[in-house]
Structure formats: structure tokens, C-alpha cells
Amino acid sequence: ASRQRRNENPKAAPATSARNLSEYLKQFVFPQNECELHSFRLSFSQLRWDRWIIAPHRYSPQFCRGECPRALGHRYGSPVHTMVQTLIYERLDPSVPRPSCVPAAYSPLSVLTIEPDGSIVYKEYEDMIATKCTCR
Amino acid sequence: SPRSRGWEDSAEAPGFLAAPEDAANQLSAGLQLPQGEAPAHALLPPLLKVLHNRGPRGWHSEAPRLQPDSRALRYMKRLYRMSATRDGIPKAQRGRLYNTVRLFTPCWECEHRPAHLGKGDVHSVDFLFNLDRVTALEHLLKSVLLYSFDTSVPISSSITCMCHLSLKEHDFSSQVCPSISHSLAFSLHFDVRKRKWVEMDVTSFLQPLIAMNRRNVHMALNFTCLMGDPQGSTKLENAVNVTLVPPSLLLYLNDTSEQAYHRGSSLRHGRKSSSPLVDPPKGDRGQGNPQGKR
């Protein structure tokens, strides 16, 4: 089409077609801050909880942040519903939120604490550290 | 944050997140929440909600935490180092079933000293453990009494103590003195140099009480200690004067609640993603590997 337009009107700036093309391609470019796992380390002394949480001294819960790309494919293990949600957001109703970047798997954490009665307890808690992200 | 679900609905946040009074005050100051106002309850993030649930005055009614016995603290820190990495990840130990270990020190003990402390006299000590912190969802796997003895005699050899442990039932309906329900005779043998804890398995002894959700365990211990080891000659004249450090009670438990970590439960671990697609291949974005993008 751009060649035909050039033949008809050779003075037309080629920039317009290039701009249309880049506009068109934009929808396939992967977002730079794509959904992925980010590290975050805290120590219980920062929260002043180290008086009764004896161990561990530091804790890395990790978290998920970033945009969910349109073409999810198998990369995030997302169900088909996620792509449907993206299409609804883009084509039917922008009030429907785009898919969110959330944890998909966790690992446990062992904690040693002092109880109010002075007894000491070692406990292993489920789902305390995010280990993988997904778009849902 | 108000968006966080899960703990928001149930005040079941893990116990250790119930911050004591000062952390909660700090947080409520930060959140400019009215102190102890009922309407604020619905807005509280999970952490404060757990505190708020402790009663209408929330954290103010929280009694300050009693400080644990330093020996017991040392023992539990060693147990932690053996069970988890420095970052708190539970070590995969084959055949390990417990996900909770509770250590109780006796809330009171009284020693009945014989009139004159002759050689080989029997010492007798009563002590009471309060097990209120054990929840109904924590099932007993093993219980151990941790003994440690103080002896003034700087001896290099070992000591053998003959012990007789009895469980006292308090029948509060009748005012008679406590009857003895079970008793257990055993000998403890340890080397003073190492001053290690001496562990005595009392699982079968305590199982019935824990199963009946008994909150208070009253024990009486009679013991006499002789110098030397059981195989060698432990003549009565070798009796040695030892003081029993009040033993601690260690309970290895399997917490069956939702937030506790269950080893090998296929439902929770290694489950496949719900989508029909197979698990993403290595290097996918979910593993936080930017190079895996393309």
C-alpha cells in the first residue's frame, strides 16, 4: 500500500507509512517491565519483631511485579482465560482489568519464636516465600 | 494492604505475625488508625487484625512476654540450625514428620530436700508444665524430658542417676491430694565434662494426657546419682551431690493446620499449574530469568 501511495504521490513523506508500521508493530513488542519475580529481603529487627522472632534473622519473601504481555503462550503457565481477559479488556470493555502478575508457587519458612508464656516454638509455615510468577 | 486476601478473611495469620504491643502501636500510628475503635476492625490489615482479635483493647491487654530460660533458648537455637538453613528454608530430612517443636520450662517446681543431705539420699522434685500453647490441630509425635544437672564436684568421670518419674493426677472434684496415675523408673547416664542435655523419651508416658487435651502436667521426680558408669563400680560411697536443673519438656508435633508446612503432601507441593499447558520450560519469565524472554 505504501508503495502504491508513493507511486501516486511521490512527494508524500515516507515517514507516515513508517509511523503506521511502528504503530502496528507496537502491539507485539514485549513490555520492558514484563511480569517477573523480584527479590526483597527484610530483617525482623527492622520491624522490631526480633524480640520474639529469634530466627531466621533475615527473610526474603520475594514478590511479583511487571506487565503481563498480550501473547502469553505457555511462558507463564497461564490458563486460556487469561488471554480471553486480555481480549475483553482491549476490544470490549476497558473496565475489565488486564491480567495481573501474581505468585504461582511458594516455598515454606522455618521460624523460631518466643510465645507469650515464655515457651519457645519452632514452626514451619507454608507459602511464605514466592518462588515463581504467573499472569492471571 | 487492604487488597491482601486470605488472612483478611480469617484471623488465621501465622502465630508469629501477631506483633506485640510496641510494633502494633508503631503500625497503628503509621496507619493513623483510632486506637481500639471497633469500626477500624474491618479496615485493619491482617497483622493488626490478629492483634485486635485478642480482645476489645487489642494489644494493650497483651501481657509482656515472659523471657525463656537461657539454656532452653540455646537448645532450641541448636535445633533450629539443624532443621533449617540460615535463610529459614526447612532442610529436607528424610523421614522427618514434625513441623512444630515446642519447648516448655516448668511453671513451678518445688524440691523436697531430706532433713540431712547424706550420701546417696534420694532427691525429690515436683514440677508443673502448662501446655496451653499446644493447639488442637497439633498432634503429638514424640515428647522428651531434657535434663541437665549442676554438680559442684569438678569430676571428669561420668555420673549415673537412678530416677523415678511419676505423673500426678489432680482430681479437683475431690480435695484429696493428687493421686499418682503413671510412674516410670529409668536411669540417666551422662558425662559431666560435656554438660550436655540428657534426653529422656516420655512419649508413651504423656501420650494419653496430650490426647485428652490436658493443659497441666504435674510430675514428681525422685532421683539419686552415683559417680561412675553403670557398667563400672558405682558403689554407694561414690554418691555425688547434684542439683537437678528443672527439666524442660520438648514436644515434637505435627501441626495439621492450613498454614503449617506439610512435607510430601502432594496436594500442596509440586502440583501442576491448573492450565492444560505443561509447566513452562526452563528459563521462563516466571523463574525471574530475563534472558529467558526470547
Side-chain angles (χ1 to χ4, degrees), chain B residues 106 108-113 122-128 147 149 164-166 168 218-223 242-247:
Chain B
W108 63 253
E109 78 272 349
C110 58
E111 185 156 358
H112 316 295
R113 285 183 174 280
V122 177
H123 302 250
S124 116
V125 187
D126 264 28
F127 33 84
L128 179 73
Y147 291 93
F149 290 86
H164 189 272
L165 183 68
S166 46
K168 295 194 168 184
H218 180 182
M219 292 184 187
L221 177 72
N222 301 330
F223 64 96
V242 290
T243 313
L244 174 77
V245 173

Side-chain angles (χ1 to χ4, degrees), chain A residues 30-32 34-37 41 44 47-49 51-56 58 73-79 106-129 131-133 136, chain B residues 14-20 22-23 26 47 65-66 68 72-73 76-77 80 83-84 86-90 96 99-104 133 138 255 259-263 268-269 274-275 277 280-281 284-287 293-294:
Chain A
F30 285 98
Q32 285 322 303
E34 195 176 325
C35 170
E36 66 180 344
L37 193 66
R41 297 169 76 85
F44 289 117
L47 297 169
R48 290 180 51 202
W49 291 355
R51 279 187 313 123
W52 86 99
I53 297 180
I54 307 163
R58 55 180 183 276
H74 60 267
R75 195 174 26 257
Y76 287 102
S78 301
Y106 297 90
S107 71
L109 181 76
S110 295
V111 186
L112 189 63
T113 57
I114 299 176
E115 299 272 59
D117 65 349
S119 62
I120 308 169
V121 59
Y122 164 86
K123 236 182 199 317
E124 295 170 347
Y125 286 99
E126 189 72 270
D127 301 343
M128 290 296 289
I129 300 172
T131 55
K132 203 158 99 176
C133 299
R136 286 285 194 271
Chain B
F16 73 92
L17 277 184
D22 54 345
Q26 216 179 22
L47 174 67
R65 289 170 188 252
L66 301 175
L73 205 46
M76 287 302 275
K77 284 180 179 174
Y80 185 87
S83 309
R86 287 174 66 87
D87 285 333
I89 310 293
R96 197 179 96 182
N99 55 19
T100 299
V101 182
R102 288 185 180 277
L103 183 140
F104 297 94
R133 304 301 301 182
E138 290 175 350
D255 182 346
Q259 315 112 25
Y261 171 45
H262 304 287
R263 274 177 175 69
R268 296 204 47 100
H269 283 279
S274 53
S275 76
L277 305 164
D284 74 310
R285 298 289 298 169
Q287 308 284 340
K293 211 184 262 186
R294 301 286 177 266

Side-chain angles (χ1 to χ4, degrees), chain A residues 34-108:
Chain A
E34 195 176 325
C35 170
E36 66 180 344
L37 193 66
H38 291 261
S39 178
F40 186 85
R41 297 169 76 85
L42 67 91
S43 68
F44 289 117
S45 55
Q46 286 169 288
L47 297 169
R48 290 180 51 202
W49 291 355
D50 51 332
R51 279 187 313 123
W52 86 99
I53 297 180
I54 307 163
H57 296 303
R58 55 180 183 276
Y59 163 39
S60 310
Q62 327 260 69
F63 64 96
C64 295
R65 178 173 56 195
E67 272 181 45
C68 290
R70 298 182 69 254
L72 289 161
H74 60 267
R75 195 174 26 257
Y76 287 102
S78 301
V80 178
H81 171 273
T82 310
M83 284 169 254
V84 172
Q85 185 172 339
T86 303
L87 287 175
I88 292 172
Y89 163 75
E90 287 179 346
R91 310 226 178 134
L92 302 179
D93 180 355
S95 72
V96 168
R98 294 180 60 184
S100 306
C101 173
V102 293
Y106 297 90
S107 71

Side-chain angles (χ1 to χ4, degrees), chain B residues 232-253:
Chain B
S233 65
T234 46
K235 299 186 206 57
L236 196 52
E237 65 273 9
N238 293 341
V240 62
N241 178 16
V242 290
T243 313
L244 174 77
V245 173
S248 297
L249 178 63
L250 206 58
L251 301 183
Y252 290 87
L253 303 151

Side-chain angles (χ1 to χ4, degrees), chain B residues 133-155:
Chain B
R133 304 301 301 182
V134 181
T135 67
L137 293 176
E138 290 175 350
H139 300 166
L140 181 70
L141 297 173
K142 179 180 174 188
S143 58
V144 166
L145 269 179
L146 291 174
Y147 291 93
S148 172
F149 290 86
D150 270 347
T151 110
S152 51
V153 183
I155 43 181

